[in-house]
Amino acid sequence: MRNWNYKLASLLLGATLLSGVRTVQATETPLLNVSYDVTREFYKEFNTAFAAYWQDKTSNNVTINQSHGGSSKQAQSVVNGLEADVVTMNQPTDVDVLFSGARLIPQNWAARLPNHSVPYNSTIVFVVRQGNPKNIRTWEDLIQPGVSVIIPNPKTSGNGRYSYLAAWGHELKKSAGDEQQAREFVGKLFANVPVLDTGGRGATTTFAERGIGDVLLTFENEAATVQKNFADDGLEVVVPPDSILAENPVAWVDRYVQKHHTEAVSRAYLEFLYSDAGQELAAKYYFRPKSQVALDKFPDRFKPLDLFTVNEVAGGWDKAQKTHFADGGIFDRIYQPNK
């Protein structure tokens, strides 16, 4: 009888422990953020901050997993079945495709969060070698003979598309709207591009690790990361007088958050980007926050420049995609590799 009581007690204890394990597991919520190439460092710290906030608010734990790559390739991966709870992209078309390509989100997704679901902005700047030996200061310097320019592929990378449209917009405004002149200018620029990587981080590797090119065109936050990670190389950031406004939209993916039962935490995750803590972290990693309070904490970080929008220089993203980046578009006609 004593042995039977001991065995029964052991079974009950084991069941209690197992139940406890299941309870702990039930509060461990995994979340997948599918993002573009050059947000790794920012979201690594942001995820830690949000997890602490969520645990304090709900007593539940959340683990945020990240997926990074070229913005358009990432968007297509979600369309093809990568079950993202949230997407944090660098242009609206890479969120729109989740509706048009698979009906994963509603068409009016941008209206669900402030500022058309754009919590922070960026722009395209130049990274040059130590001492800036080619004296690259403006867009005109990029088309000079003997200047090698590193830009990711505009067909696969939002970074590449913004770089292309920044050059296009600069010349379009300079020429008072002459599209032929803008086309010739961008053609000369891409004639100086020796290789097209699929994403912004790949372009960084080509420039900083492989030592190819005189100048890298990239997002402002990536330029700061390059400087920090390759401090011994003395790389310098050049902010041109004008460039393009890069808006970085975010959305939760309705079909997958419903499947994963993560809608509340996914929405809270994106709303945290708009909080004081989220905005300050964005500024810390050289994303231009919407919050003036966050901007005031970094008074010398963001150099002033004349920013124009995709709407102003390309008629909006839908038109830009069809005119410039679709198969047979202007980019395909001006870019002739290995010539």
Side-chain angles (χ1 to χ4, degrees), residues 91 123-126 139 142 149-154 157-170 185-186 189-190 193 200 203 216-219 243-244 246 308 317 325:
Q91 64 179 68
T123 189
I124 295 295
V125 299
F126 308 157
W139 291 96
L142 303 180
V149 184
I150 302 301
I151 300 174
N153 192 337
S157 164
N159 187 319
R161 278 189 289 279
Y162 275 117
S163 295
Y164 172 105
L165 290 173
W168 175 275
H170 164 80
F185 182 85
V186 175
L189 172 59
F190 276 88
V193 176
L216 168 69
L217 271 61
T218 193
F219 289 124
S243 192
I244 197 160
F308 46 81
W317 274 112
F325 310 121

Side-chain angles (χ1 to χ4, degrees), residues 90 118 120-124 162 219 244-248 307-308:
N90 59 33
V118 175
Y120 48 79
N121 298 319
S122 190
T123 189
I124 295 295
Y162 275 117
F219 289 124
I244 197 160
L245 178 68
E247 296 184 297
N248 307 138
L307 292 172
F308 46 81

Side-chain angles (χ1 to χ4, degrees), residues 77-256:
S77 293
V78 177
V79 169
N80 291 339
L82 179 60
E83 295 190 1
D85 296 282
V86 299
V87 292
T88 54
M89 297 301 191
N90 59 33
Q91 64 179 68
T93 54
D94 287 335
V95 184
D96 285 334
V97 73
L98 304 188
F99 167 75
S100 61
R103 298 298 193 269
L104 298 175
I105 60 174
Q107 189 171 16
N108 69 339
W109 62 268
R112 301 190 296 189
L113 289 169
N115 305 319
H116 301 287
S117 292
V118 175
Y120 48 79
N121 298 319
S122 190
T123 189
I124 295 295
V125 299
F126 308 157
V127 183
V128 298
R129 304 290 175 192
Q130 187 173 22
N132 196 4
K134 296 293 180 74
N135 195 29
I136 296 167
R137 303 292 176 189
T138 69
W139 291 96
E140 281 71 26
D141 297 326
L142 303 180
I143 67 171
Q144 300 307 310
V147 174
S148 178
V149 184
I150 302 301
I151 300 174
N153 192 337
K155 304 275 282 189
T156 59
S157 164
N159 187 319
R161 278 189 289 279
Y162 275 117
S163 295
Y164 172 105
L165 290 173
W168 175 275
H170 164 80
E171 188 62 23
L172 194 68
K173 286 184 167 290
K174 178 185 172 185
S175 65
D178 189 330
E179 291 196 0
Q180 182 58 37
Q181 196 163 319
R183 183 185 299 217
E184 291 173 2
F185 182 85
V186 175
K188 291 177 182 177
L189 172 59
F190 276 88
N192 283 350
V193 176
V195 60
L196 289 176
D197 293 288
T198 58
R201 187 52 59 89
T204 293
T205 299
T206 293
F207 180 77
E209 291 188 13
R210 298 173 61 195
I212 298 173
D214 301 303
V215 55
L216 168 69
L217 271 61
T218 193
F219 289 124
E220 190 169 31
N221 70 293
E222 178 72 350
T225 299
V226 173
Q227 263 197 315
K228 178 182 177 181
N229 291 346
F230 297 89
D232 292 343
D233 295 337
L235 300 176
E236 302 174 17
V237 176
V238 174
V239 178
D242 62 342
S243 192
I244 197 160
L245 178 68
E247 296 184 297
N248 307 138
V250 300
W252 63 87
V253 184
D254 296 66
R255 183 182 299 176
Y256 294 138

Side-chain angles (χ1 to χ4, degrees), residues 23-89:
T23 301
V24 171
Q25 288 175 340
T27 62
E28 279 283 355
T29 304
L31 208 66
L32 176 59
N33 176 8
V34 173
S35 193
Y36 59 104
D37 247 346
V38 299
T39 61
R40 289 172 172 84
E41 292 76 14
F42 165 58
Y43 276 111
K44 181 178 181 180
E45 185 166 351
F46 177 85
N47 291 345
T48 299
F50 174 74
Y53 159 80
W54 188 249
Q55 205 282 332
D56 182 64
K57 180 180 179 179
T58 67
S59 298
N60 292 333
N61 297 320
V62 59
T63 300
I64 302 103
N65 299 306
Q66 289 292 136
S67 173
H68 297 277
S71 184
S72 294
K73 290 186 69 176
Q74 290 290 84
Q76 194 58 49
S77 293
V78 177
V79 169
N80 291 339
L82 179 60
E83 295 190 1
D85 296 282
V86 299
V87 292
T88 54
M89 297 301 191

